[in-house]
């Protein structure tokens, strides 16, 4: 019944500056996982207790036949540096799948997926599942510069249309991904929006969803300790009487209108 | 597994099958880790701290990792005592597991009221009184920091309940022995320690305190030597059994506390790193006893003092 498994690293490659794609052999996690869920990874090894806390990473891809779990992560500190150094054949202690993932409505025929920077990580498997269901997927990804546009080919495979935006215009349009989204919403009658990325981007997506009267789901981050809902450390403020929700078990995917964006 | 090793204990009138508990606030109300293993294998559960009325807790960020530990400023977010009794206790009653209810309050009256409510409830093995909270009437000074205030709380709770009473001490004091003795005088059945020492960190990039609440409680292996020292001191002066906690992650850590004189131990932040830690600790203590030919856990308690 334990959700804790020791997974073998199958491969780990730098796919963009300071950004790694890692595959793990983790059939028991893969068979239960949904897009938008995450795994909680121990980054200290052996008897070392440093770093003390696990690190949460979104599920990037799920290969059910091979039992293969994909992760996409950016190196920002100690924990992610340790992960970047992992090689084929190394082992990782992971807990998962955890949290509530994305849920596509039964009646959705056309969706828009919006990713900013490393925020694309939980969105690929969503696009994959949606495409498999015959849903039209319009994907918009943005980054500071072209080299930080992550995995465009994979996204193209699972998207009806793919739009790319960069701050410097080095690849795709020189625009904010949310500006492209406004244009898309004027042209296409999409049923739902899904987004992950910087908070400022998510806030704009949630606002656009509200003005267009569309349901919207966003994947949020918070610092975590337990990752399973036991410590109450990962809360975010909600619209419901200032109450807090836990990112690890109530999320990481939330409805756009649930979140208090002014916090 | 050897048939000879005895780990059962009676602590403050609570019968436990082994000395390994899980610490308040790190194990929710049991459900969360119930997905990892059968929680009835634990000695006892100390549930998240409860207050008379529900509390929202502190603004985020509430956590920050520190060397060999973490700072937290959860701020006692909890569903209130009634919320616990209706929504959480029924799940815990399904297990053959002693449930120790951790309570916190702003006034002596709050504590006493909660003890009074719990006194009537089936399926509760004991009360753990968290005296690290600020006393609202005494200008916010923590109950656990002043011997007389600590006495008043424990005395108030003692009058309200016949349940086994564990008092959880704050390490943020000059002389932990003095507080422990007062708590004993006031009628406690056991003492647990340590709660979290206060700490803070600055976010250098943003040039401001890292936690939303500025100060937080430090837990994890970073505090273990302080905790072991305080257990040693308290065991030296009181007659009551002591439950030791602070940075326990491995069987070796647990043995330190037991050898210092703790009758039982609790795993706190260690659960975050290794959800299986409590079970590994139970097995590890048993293995140690077998290896050392110790048949009864009581022989191990305080062995380093002899
Ligand atoms: C549910 C969830 C899913 C995530 N999925 C991914 C993913 O797929 N790919 C990915 O690259 N990252 C993801 N993250 C973020 C990732 O967990 C952090 O980048 C990682 O924990 C940083 O660890 P570190 O030791 O490298 O950095 P640290 O040394 O711990 O910190 C480096 C810097 O990052 C900041 N930081 C650390 N943790 C967080 C956090 N959780 N949120 C915001 N800031 C933080 C610190 O304040 C510091 O400035 C996710 C986070 C959550 C909560
Ligand atoms: C996230 C978190 C929440 C806690 N909440 C409580 C609480 O509600 N009541 C309480 O008495 N102690 C609380 N504690 C303190 C622990 O029970 C324990 O005394 C302390 O963390 C030291 O043990 P550790 O280092 O093993 O975690 C909390 C600790 C943590 C890390
Ligand atoms: S990380 Fe512990 S409750 Fe979310």
């Amino acid at each position: 019944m334990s959700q804790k498994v020791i997974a073998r690293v199958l491969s780990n490659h730098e796919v963009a500056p300071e950004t790694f794609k890692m595959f793990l052999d983790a059939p028991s996690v893969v068979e239960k996982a949904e897009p938008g869920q995450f795994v909680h990874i121990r980054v200290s090894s052996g008897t070392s207790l440093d770093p003390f806390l696990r690190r949460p990473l979104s599920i990037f891809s799920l290969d059910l036949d091979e039992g293969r779990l994909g992760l996409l992560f950016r190196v920002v500190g100690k924990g992610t540096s340790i992960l970047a150094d992992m090689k084929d054949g190394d082992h990782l202690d992971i807990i998962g799948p955890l949290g509530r993932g994305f849920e596509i409505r039964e009646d959705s025929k056309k969706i828009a997926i919006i990713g900013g920077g490393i925020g694309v990580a939980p969105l690929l498997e969503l696009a994959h599942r949606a495409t498999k269901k015959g849903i039209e997927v319009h994907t918009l990804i943005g980054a500071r510069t072209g080299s930080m546009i992550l995995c465009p080919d994979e996204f193209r495979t699972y998207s009806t249309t793919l739009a790319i935006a960069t701050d410097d215009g080095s690849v795709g349009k020189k625009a904010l991904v949310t500006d492209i989204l406004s244009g898309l919403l004027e042209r296409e009658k999409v049923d739902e929006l899904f987004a992950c990325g910087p908070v400022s981007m998510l806030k704009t997506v949630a606002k656009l969803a509200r003005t267009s009267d569309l349901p919207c789901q966003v994947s949020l981050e918070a610092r975590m300790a337990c990752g399973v809902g036991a410590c109450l450390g990962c809360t975010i403020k909600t619209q419901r009487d200032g109450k807090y929700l836990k990112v690890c078990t109530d999320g990481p995917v939330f409805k756009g209108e649930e979140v208090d964006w002014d916090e | 597994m050897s048939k000879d090793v005895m780990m059962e204990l009676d602590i403050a009138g609570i019968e436990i099958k082994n000395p390994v508990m899980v610490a308040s606030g790190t194990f929710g109300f049991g459900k969360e880790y119930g997905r990892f293993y059968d929680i009835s294998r634990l000695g006892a559960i100390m549930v998240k701290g409860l207050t008379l009325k529900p509390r929202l807790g502190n603004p985020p960020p509430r956590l920050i990792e520190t060397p060999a530990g973490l700072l937290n400023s959860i701020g006692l977010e909890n569903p209130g005592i009634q919320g616990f009794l209706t929504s959480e206790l029924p799940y815990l009653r399904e297990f053959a597991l002693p449930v120790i209810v951790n309570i916190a309050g702003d006034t002596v009256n709050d504590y006493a009221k909660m003890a009074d409510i719990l006194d009537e409830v089936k399926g509760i093995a004991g009360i753990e009184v968290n005296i690290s909270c600020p006393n609202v009437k005494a200008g916010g000074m923590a109950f656990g920091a002043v011997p007389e205030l600590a006495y008043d709380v424990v005395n108030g709770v003692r009058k309200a309940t016949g349940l086994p009473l564990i008092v959880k001490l704050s390490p943020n004091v000059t002389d932990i022995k003095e507080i422990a003795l007062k708590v004993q005088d006031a009628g406690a059945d056991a003492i647990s320690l340590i709660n979290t020492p206060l700490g803070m960190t600055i976010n250098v990039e943003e040039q401001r305190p890292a936690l939303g609440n500025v100060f937080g409680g430090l837990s994890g292996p970073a505090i273990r030597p302080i905790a072991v020292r305080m257990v040693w001191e308290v065991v030296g002066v009181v007659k009551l059994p002591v439950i030791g906690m602070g940075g326990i992650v491995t069987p070796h850590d647990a043995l330190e506390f037991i050898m210092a004189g703790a009758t039982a131990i609790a795993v706190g932040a260690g659960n975050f790193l290794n959800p299986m830690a409590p079970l590994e600790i139970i097995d590890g203590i048993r293995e140690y006893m077998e290896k050392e030919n110790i048949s009864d856990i009581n022989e191990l308690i305080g062995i380093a003092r002899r």
Side-chain angles (χ1 to χ4, degrees):
Chain A
M1 104 172 108
S2 168
Q3 297 175 298
K4 177 168 163 308
V5 296
I6 305 296
R8 188 162 51 91
V9 177
L10 298 169
S11 66
N12 189 20
H13 296 295
E14 191 162 8
V15 293
E18 297 293 298
T19 308
F20 287 74
K21 196 187 330 176
M22 182 190 278
F23 287 103
L24 297 173
D25 182 31
S28 65
V29 177
V30 168
E31 80 189 8
K32 286 176 285 188
E34 297 290 336
Q37 288 190 295
F38 69 98
V39 289
H40 211 25
I41 308 175
R42 180 169 179 166
V43 289
S44 59
S45 56
T47 54
S48 167
L49 301 176
D50 183 48
F52 186 63
L53 296 177
R54 289 172 179 263
R55 299 294 191 264
L57 289 182
S58 298
I59 288 167
F60 171 64
S61 69
L62 294 166
D63 182 334
L64 288 152
D65 297 333
E66 303 288 327
R68 205 168 55 160
L69 173 74
L71 303 172
L72 184 72
F73 63 93
R74 173 152 297 161
V75 177
V76 296
K78 220 168 9 178
T80 46
S81 306
I82 292 169
L83 290 177
D85 288 337
M86 303 292 292
K87 302 271 179 297
D88 322 0
D90 287 347
H91 288 84
L92 274 181
D93 168 346
I94 66 174
I95 300 174
L98 298 174
R100 287 162 67 146
F102 296 108
E103 278 171 41
I104 307 175
R105 292 189 174 193
E106 285 298 328
D107 55 354
S108 272
K109 295 192 178 60
K110 198 184 278 194
I111 64 172
I113 291 180
I114 307 101
I118 188 66
V120 300
L123 299 173
L124 184 72
E125 193 54 32
L126 175 72
H128 181 190
R129 297 270 168 113
T131 304
K132 255 201 332 214
K133 284 190 183 162
I135 294 168
E136 214 176 279
V137 178
H138 296 277
T139 304
L140 299 80
I141 58 185
R144 243 180 325 104
T145 182
S147 62
M148 301 299 232
I149 293 289
L150 304 174
C151 311
D153 296 334
E154 280 110 314
F155 275 101
R156 201 167 281 119
T157 314
Y158 302 128
S159 305
T160 315
T161 66
L162 173 70
I164 290 173
T166 50
D167 295 353
D168 63 3
S170 52
V171 173
K173 264 208 183 122
K174 181 172 173 160
L176 290 175
V177 72
T178 44
D179 295 336
I180 305 192
L181 176 64
S182 315
L184 178 82
L185 294 180
E186 280 163 27
R187 282 196 317 277
E188 299 274 353
K189 201 203 140 303
V190 304
D191 300 310
E192 274 191 279
L193 306 180
F194 299 89
C196 183
V199 175
S200 56
M201 181 199 104
L202 297 179
K203 187 174 172 175
T204 312
V205 172
K207 201 152 100 196
L208 287 171
R210 189 154 20 100
T211 46
S212 315
D213 205 18
L214 289 175
C216 147
Q217 291 169 41
V218 297
S219 178
L220 297 182
E221 288 189 9
R223 291 216 188 93
M224 290 186 181
C226 70
V228 297
C231 74
L232 309 179
C234 64
T235 48
I236 53 148
K237 200 145 199 176
T238 64
Q239 300 282 9
R240 291 188 227 151
D241 320 318
K243 280 218 171 93
Y244 294 107
L245 284 176
K246 291 172 283 208
V247 172
C248 68
T249 47
D250 299 316
V253 175
F254 293 92
K255 295 195 178 85
E257 70 269 17
E258 255 179 327
V259 180
D260 181 352
W261 294 104
D262 297 326
E263 260 305 293
Chain B
M1 196 188 299
S2 153
K3 55 194 178 310
D4 297 324
V5 170
M6 253 272 301
M7 286 171 82
E8 289 90 0
L9 283 162
D10 179 308
I11 186 158
I14 306 169
E15 281 177 28
I16 54 177
K17 43 181 132 9
N18 62 63
V20 180
M21 307 183 175
V22 283
S24 176
T26 66
F27 210 79
F29 298 106
K31 265 191 205 113
E32 295 78 9
Y33 288 99
R35 273 182 252 129
F36 288 85
Y37 58 85
D38 174 6
I39 57 174
S40 63
R41 292 179 62 190
L42 298 168
I45 176 177
M46 291 148 150
V47 300
K48 173 66 191 169
L50 298 171
T51 48
L52 205 48
K53 294 272 159 339
R55 279 208 196 167
L56 293 179
N58 286 329
R62 292 177 172 184
L63 292 174
I64 183 107
E65 191 180 50
T66 56
L70 71 147
L71 278 170
N72 87 78
S73 62
I74 309 297
L76 279 178
E77 175 177 340
N78 80 89
I81 192 138
Q82 288 302 345
F84 164 74
L85 294 177
T86 47
S87 310
E88 308 291 349
L89 186 60
Y91 170 83
L92 286 170
R93 280 208 189 102
E94 303 287 308
F95 297 88
L97 170 69
V99 175
I100 296 171
V101 179
N102 183 287
I103 60 170
D106 295 329
T107 63
V108 172
N109 206 17
D110 280 5
Y111 282 100
K113 264 194 200 149
M114 280 190 278
D116 191 44
I117 294 169
L118 292 170
D119 201 49
E120 307 283 308
V121 178
K122 279 214 182 71
I124 290 171
I127 298 178
E128 181 180 47
V129 184
N130 172 4
I131 57 170
S132 299
C133 313
N135 178 330
V136 170
K137 284 199 182 135
M141 181 70 99
F143 289 103
V146 184
E148 289 69 32
L149 293 179
Y151 182 93
D152 289 346
V153 175
V154 179
N155 186 43
V157 173
R158 180 74 291 168
K159 284 184 183 149
T161 182
L163 282 168
L165 200 60
I166 302 162
V167 179
K168 182 165 179 177
L169 304 188
S170 161
N172 302 309
V173 297
T174 312
D175 184 2
I176 193 97
K177 301 189 294 297
E178 195 186 354
I179 308 275
L181 286 167
K182 274 283 186 213
V183 158
Q184 174 170 274
D185 286 349
D189 298 308
I191 287 174
S192 59
L193 74 165
I194 60 175
N195 212 320
T196 50
L198 275 182
M200 84 177 273
T201 57
I202 303 280
N203 181 327
V204 170
E205 289 82 50
E206 294 176 19
Q207 305 183 338
R208 56 177 183 77
L211 283 175
N213 192 49
V214 185
F215 293 168
L218 185 61
S219 58
I223 68 170
R224 195 192 314 128
I226 298 174
V228 174
R229 183 265 293 176
M230 288 191 157
V231 165
W232 180 277
E233 285 189 308
V234 169
V235 168
V237 296
V238 298
K239 295 190 210 71
L240 304 176
V242 165
I243 304 168
M245 64 190 84
I248 298 175
V249 184
T250 67
H252 175 277
D253 308 339
L255 286 167
E256 276 199 56
F257 282 85
I258 294 170
M259 290 180 182
T263 301
I265 60 101
V267 182
N271 290 300
F272 308 156
L273 177 72
N274 179 10
M276 307 306 284
L279 298 192
E280 289 174 16
I281 290 169
I282 296 167
D283 292 342
I285 295 174
R286 181 181 291 115
E287 279 163 31
Y288 178 82
M289 288 171 64
E290 284 168 3
K291 189 172 69 119
E292 296 294 320
N293 258 318
I294 296 171
S295 56
D296 186 340
I297 186 87
N298 284 296
E299 295 167 40
L300 206 53
I301 298 168
I303 204 165
R305 315 180 73 93
R306 299 202 267 269

